[in-house]
Amino acid sequence: KQEVTQIPAALSVPEGENLVLNCSFTDSAIYNLQWFRQDPGKGLTSLLLIQSSQREQTSGRLNASLDKSSGRSTLYIAASQPGDSATYLCAVGRPEKLVFGKGTKLTVNP
Amino acid sequence: NAGVTQTPKFQVLKTGQSMTLQCAQDMNHEYMSWYRQDPGMGLRLIHYSVGAGITDQGEVPNGYNVSRSTTEDFPLRLLSAAPSQTSVYFCASSWTLTGELFFGEGSRLTVL
């Protein structure tokens, strides 16, 4: 059974800092990995989607990497801003049955 | 751009009552799914559909029913509500099985 772990559960950083969020998974037979952002009381917003054949994806200040062999993904956020404060979740697995991590709650302090 | 629309946003039920959570998407997505999100448990898949007329169970299907008569709609039915079904429910859709997943804003359900 696929298990997804996100460490740390919470992270607080000063504005402007570069940071890395981690996601690890137990079954490397994945189709893709997705990173999402969730604001309080809201739904999830897709940030980056990495297909299993890819190593990384970039969107603006965000860069996500995927290492299937080690069962790890990282989400790099450059020059963090207070508006980046949210919970970040990763999801992996079979296409029709994604398994989500419990998320990392990020707080960026002005 | 409506995207994925869920109704109602909030609902309070008594134990034993039934209700339907509605989900509609206007992106012509084939894949649709329902998740529940509980503190400390993360998001768990309830049911999913890979196209009209095709549904299957996820990780936590007991107590829930789904049908997919059209591409656009994927309602989730609670047959006899229980306090354990108190949760936030999210509907999601994507163009393909391996595509980007789009979520609705969620439906917060409380069962007394």
Side-chain angles (χ1 to χ4, degrees), chain A residues 23-28 55 66-74:
Chain A
C23 172
S24 61
F25 46 95
T26 55
D27 186 351
S28 62
R55 296 282 293 182
L66 173 63
D67 184 343
K68 284 201 315 178
S69 61
S70 66
R72 293 185 178 184
S73 175
T74 60

Side-chain angles (χ1 to χ4, degrees), chain A residues 4-50:
Chain A
V4 181
T5 303
Q6 291 187 247
I7 296 173
L11 181 64
S12 181
V13 301
E15 181 177 3
E17 190 162 300
N18 302 325
L19 59 100
V20 175
L21 305 180
N22 298 295
C23 172
S24 61
F25 46 95
T26 55
D27 186 351
S28 62
I30 65 172
Y31 285 79
N32 62 33
L33 183 144
Q34 297 187 50
W35 281 95
F36 296 88
R37 167 188 174 134
Q38 185 175 29
D39 293 289
K42 300 291 187 180
L44 281 70
T45 300
S46 178
L47 295 173
L48 289 165
L49 167 65
I50 310 176

Side-chain angles (χ1 to χ4, degrees), chain A residues 32 38 46 51 95-96 102, chain B residues 31 37 40 97-98 100-101:
Chain A
N32 62 33
Q38 185 175 29
S46 178
Q51 301 293 349
E96 69 275 21
K102 294 180 182 178
Chain B
Y31 174 82
Q37 187 175 37
L97 284 176
T98 56
E100 182 182 7
L101 204 56

Side-chain angles (χ1 to χ4, degrees), chain A residues 87-100:
Chain A
T87 297
Y88 292 80
L89 299 100
C90 66
V92 298
R94 292 170 53 189
E96 69 275 21
K97 292 187 178 183
L98 283 180
V99 178
F100 284 79

Side-chain angles (χ1 to χ4, degrees), chain B residues 29-50:
Chain B
H29 285 172
E30 289 295 325
Y31 174 82
M32 296 186 74
S33 55
W34 277 101
Y35 288 86
R36 60 178 288 174
Q37 187 175 37
D38 302 289
M41 299 293 292
L43 279 136
R44 293 180 291 169
L45 181 65
I46 304 171
H47 285 285
Y48 67 95
S49 169
V50 297

